[in-house]
Amino acid sequence: MVKIAPSLLSADFADLSKEIRKMENGNADYIHLDVMDGIYVPNITFGPPVIKKLRKITDIPFDVHLMIDRPERYIEEFVDAGADIITVHQESTTHLHRTIQIIKSFGVKAGVTLNPATTLSTIEYILDDIDLILIMTVNPGFGGQSFIPAMKEKISDARSMIDKTKRDIILQVDGGIKLENAKEIIELGGDLLVVGSGIFGAEDVEKRIKEFKSL
Ligand code: DX5
Ligand code: ZN
């Protein structure tokens, strides 16, 4: 069954506890936390102190998507804040294999994400080391952008790549996912969908999460 990770980026930052209650009531599988530093991407969001506070008010696992330059500098802080999965951009770190080992050394799940223009072959030799591949289907930095159609082929290629490993690697997809295209993304092989505006733009957020989960 597909898993859903609502992205906090599109939630009301002035009332995060209320937004998190809605995710709990909708049975969200993870909370997707988009960390942006204004350098790797042209936007700034929040960091470990905010995540640490949120950790105290919910038991939903935290899926932390780091859009920061040289993320290896901050892994320990995000682990300490309560991350369950830490995903780094292939393009943001020079020694990707080393960064993955740092994440795993804390007993946290390690994910790698690829921008739309980055090929899957860049992670071919680290498949034994990772727990999750995140295919970005928009350019990172903002919620509410449109799904890039060429990414459909990349999702199905990533699916085949994962299936060949016989390992339990999660295939996550992030960006421009709505109720209208989610089914197709699942059919292409996506098993964990990140949804921001497609959930928080709804009148009834809890109901919308359930609708996604029932696909
Ligand atoms: C974009 C973020 C996404 C974003 C998705 O950089 O990684 O997680 O919140 O938002 P929507 O679903 O609105 O495209
Ligand atoms: Zn994200």
Side-chain angles (χ1 to χ4, degrees), residues 32 34 65 67 174 194:
H32 184 80
D34 288 299
H65 177 191
M67 285 160 275
D174 183 6
V194 177

Side-chain angles (χ1 to χ4, degrees), residues 7-10 32 34 36 41 65 67 136 138-145 174-178 194-198:
S7 166
L8 202 72
L9 187 61
S10 293
H32 184 80
D34 288 299
M36 306 185 188
V41 288
H65 177 191
M67 285 160 275
M136 288 304 301
V138 296
N139 287 295
F142 303 93
Q145 303 180 84
D174 183 6
I177 302 180
K178 309 284 177 200
V194 177
V195 188
S197 50

Side-chain angles (χ1 to χ4, degrees), residues 122-173:
T122 58
I123 53 169
E124 199 178 337
Y125 300 105
I126 55 159
L127 291 175
D128 280 346
D129 298 288
I130 60 180
D131 302 295
L132 176 148
I133 297 173
L134 167 53
I135 303 297
M136 288 304 301
T137 42
V138 296
N139 287 295
F142 303 93
Q145 303 180 84
S146 302
F147 184 95
I148 299 169
M151 295 302 106
K152 287 180 192 170
E153 190 180 343
K154 196 173 181 183
I155 297 166
S156 66
D157 289 348
R159 180 78 267 161
S160 319
M161 196 173 180
I162 289 172
D163 290 348
K164 266 187 224 137
T165 68
K166 309 249 186 302
R167 290 191 64 239
D168 214 0
I169 301 173
I170 300 167
L171 181 51
Q172 185 176 43
V173 184

Side-chain angles (χ1 to χ4, degrees), residues 29-211:
D29 297 284
Y30 293 90
I31 298 179
H32 184 80
L33 297 159
D34 288 299
V35 178
M36 306 185 188
D37 67 353
I39 295 181
Y40 181 65
V41 288
N43 196 5
I44 303 176
T45 55
F46 48 79
V50 171
I51 296 176
K52 199 169 190 162
K53 286 286 183 190
L54 297 178
R55 186 68 292 173
K56 292 193 189 351
I57 63 164
T58 183
D59 292 328
I60 304 179
F62 282 178
D63 160 35
V64 178
H65 177 191
L66 296 183
M67 285 160 275
I68 64 177
D69 185 46
R70 291 177 288 140
E72 60 275 15
R73 298 173 296 155
Y74 291 102
I75 302 303
E76 191 164 3
E77 272 95 327
F78 285 102
V79 171
D80 186 53
D84 295 279
I85 304 175
I86 296 182
T87 298
V88 296
H89 273 261
Q90 185 273 347
E91 311 86 354
S92 70
T93 180
T94 305
H95 304 286
L96 179 61
H97 181 271
R98 178 182 287 152
T99 303
I100 296 297
Q101 304 310 319
I102 296 172
I103 298 172
K104 295 204 327 178
S105 74
F106 293 106
V108 167
K109 282 197 161 77
V112 175
T113 180
L114 304 175
N115 282 334
T118 306
T119 62
L120 281 170
S121 60
T122 58
I123 53 169
E124 199 178 337
Y125 300 105
I126 55 159
L127 291 175
D128 280 346
D129 298 288
I130 60 180
D131 302 295
L132 176 148
I133 297 173
L134 167 53
I135 303 297
M136 288 304 301
T137 42
V138 296
N139 287 295
F142 303 93
Q145 303 180 84
S146 302
F147 184 95
I148 299 169
M151 295 302 106
K152 287 180 192 170
E153 190 180 343
K154 196 173 181 183
I155 297 166
S156 66
D157 289 348
R159 180 78 267 161
S160 319
M161 196 173 180
I162 289 172
D163 290 348
K164 266 187 224 137
T165 68
K166 309 249 186 302
R167 290 191 64 239
D168 214 0
I169 301 173
I170 300 167
L171 181 51
Q172 185 176 43
V173 184
D174 183 6
I177 302 180
K178 309 284 177 200
L179 268 184
E180 295 71 38
N181 60 2
K183 211 172 166 111
E184 187 179 7
I185 295 165
I186 297 164
E187 281 161 8
L188 291 166
D191 37 38
L192 174 55
L193 309 189
V194 177
V195 188
S197 50
I199 283 176
F200 290 97
E203 199 71 56
D204 186 338
V205 167
E206 301 174 16
K207 186 170 150 232
R208 180 61 60 86
I209 297 171
K210 288 180 183 155
E211 283 168 348

